[in-house]
């Protein structure tokens, strides 16, 4: 089973975390199943950017980006070349390391 290494995030996992999930699982599902309560305002339907992550290692092993995800990512806070929507990033058999950005569009509106 692939391992997801989550870099420390002050709200979701201050110490960082490592979780395992079966290949074919989205990063978002794996995080939620393992107690990392990442935002996912559209309930993983690829209609928002609240589950945006930056893939630090293992980007090429994830399923391909489709046009809808690419278009949405253009609106994500803190966009990086290795950004993905975690609800659309499907694990293969390779480990990945991710960073959850400090803010999402929801955080920016609700907390500031």
């Amino acid at each position: 089973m692939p391992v997801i290494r989550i870099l420390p995030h002050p709200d979701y996992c201050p110490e960082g975390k490592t979780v395992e999930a079966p290949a074919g699982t989205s990063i978002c599902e794996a995080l939620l199943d393992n107690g990392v309560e990442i935002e996912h305002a559209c309930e993983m339907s690829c209609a928002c950017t609240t589950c945006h992550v930056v893939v630090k290692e293992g980007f090429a092993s994830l399923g391909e980006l489709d046009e809808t995800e690419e278009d949405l990512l253009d609106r994500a806070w803190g966009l990086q070349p290795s950004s993905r929507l975690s609800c659309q990033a499907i694990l293969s058999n390779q480990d990945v390391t991710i960073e959850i950005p400090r803010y999402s569009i929801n955080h920016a509106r609700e907390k500031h």
Side-chain angles (χ1 to χ4, degrees), residues 74-88:
D74 287 340
R75 297 184 230 154
W77 187 91
L79 183 65
Q80 299 290 317
S82 61
S83 288
R84 291 295 304 265
L85 298 180
S86 66
C87 69
Q88 300 301 302

Side-chain angles (χ1 to χ4, degrees), residues 4-56:
I4 304 169
R5 287 178 206 84
I6 306 135
L7 298 177
H9 183 283
D11 297 326
Y12 300 118
C13 51
E15 306 299 318
K17 191 167 185 169
T18 301
V19 301
E20 289 186 30
T25 302
S26 75
I27 290 175
C28 189
E29 290 172 310
L31 297 182
L32 294 169
D33 288 348
N34 287 280
V36 179
E37 296 298 320
I38 189 169
E39 283 192 72
H40 55 291
C42 70
E43 297 298 321
M44 298 184 273
S45 66
C46 195
C48 73
T49 63
T50 59
C51 71
H52 168 227
V53 297
V54 178
V55 182
K56 298 293 193 175

Side-chain angles (χ1 to χ4, degrees), residues 6 9-10 25 29 40 43 47 59-60 66 73 85 91-94 104-105:
I6 306 135
H9 183 283
T25 302
E29 290 172 310
H40 55 291
E43 297 298 321
F59 182 84
D66 68 14
L73 279 170
L85 298 180
L91 296 166
S92 67
N93 289 316
Q94 185 176 339
S104 73
I105 290 174

